Amino acid sequence: MSVAEPRRIVLFRHAKADWPQVSDHERPLAERGRKDAAVAGRKLADSGVPFDLALCSTATRTRETWKLAVHELPHRPKTVYEERIYEASPGELITVLNEIPDDIHNVILIGHNPGVQGLTEVVCGASEPEARERLSRRGFPAAAFAVVTFEGSWKSLEPGVATLIDYWAPSE
């Protein structure tokens, strides 16, 4: 694959979590979250994006979200559980993405807010108007995802270089 071909990143916020008496990192999905994660997975499958790599936070709710969503995809990508995604800032998430080998084309990152929404806002210097309007109106609720593209190597991902091409949230 040439680095001149556009790369695609799906930034996927975990589904709705429950609030039992456990540490934040160990919070499981709520019943609604389990349903929304599967619906999000079907929407991801409908997008036709063949993911080469999934980067998932180690938190229980992100792992459960990904397990339910990936079940809906026609192809299961390699999944890496990355501790640095939990509670990461947009800059820290860019650092994680900058480390991806250039033979990887399409990536899904399953993480948390405010990092996922912040990363979307920081890297997207341009956007499809309809996608930007939906993101502005809805914010980044649980189980939402944004699809962004950029050209160049993974090391070249930085603020303003990507384009927001799609956005979806539950009950859209």
Side-chain angles (χ1 to χ4, degrees):
M1 192 216 65
S2 164
V3 294
E5 294 178 44
R7 297 182 187 279
R8 188 171 291 133
I9 311 167
V10 172
L11 301 168
F12 184 17
R13 182 178 177 197
H14 66 80
K16 178 79 173 155
D18 204 353
W19 291 92
Q21 295 297 317
V22 297
S23 72
D24 182 69
H25 190 272
E26 302 308 315
R27 288 176 47 216
L29 290 180
E31 182 177 338
R32 187 182 106 209
R34 288 189 291 278
K35 291 176 186 171
D36 287 348
V39 171
R42 287 190 290 280
K43 288 292 185 183
L44 289 166
D46 291 347
S47 76
V49 177
F51 298 108
D52 304 313
L53 177 66
L55 296 172
C56 185
S57 164
T58 57
T60 300
R61 60 193 177 274
T62 51
R63 289 184 287 117
E64 289 180 353
T65 297
W66 180 235
K67 181 179 178 182
L68 292 164
V70 75
H71 183 70
E72 302 295 330
L73 300 179
H75 165 72
R76 180 183 292 265
K78 175 182 178 183
T79 300
V80 174
Y81 295 97
E82 175 58 65
E83 291 178 3
R84 295 177 295 167
I85 296 173
Y86 179 68
E87 296 186 335
S89 69
E92 292 166 329
L93 292 172
I94 289 172
T95 298
V96 170
L97 292 166
N98 287 160
E99 296 171 2
I100 296 172
D102 281 332
D103 62 339
I104 301 294
H105 189 66
N106 297 312
V107 172
I108 184 166
L109 184 146
I110 307 94
H112 310 266
N113 252 8
V116 170
Q117 181 173 355
L119 178 61
T120 303
E121 293 168 352
V122 166
V123 298
C124 292
S127 61
E128 294 291 329
E130 186 178 312
R132 175 64 68 185
E133 189 278 327
R134 287 194 318 267
L135 176 59
S136 296
R137 181 171 30 91
R138 296 288 316 272
F140 225 107
F145 62 83
V147 182
V148 304
T149 63
F150 74 100
E151 293 187 7
S153 71
W154 287 103
K155 287 178 180 43
S156 72
L157 179 65
E158 61 184 38
V161 302
T163 300
L164 174 67
I165 60 169
D166 200 6
Y167 169 82
W168 178 84
S171 69
E172 270 277 303

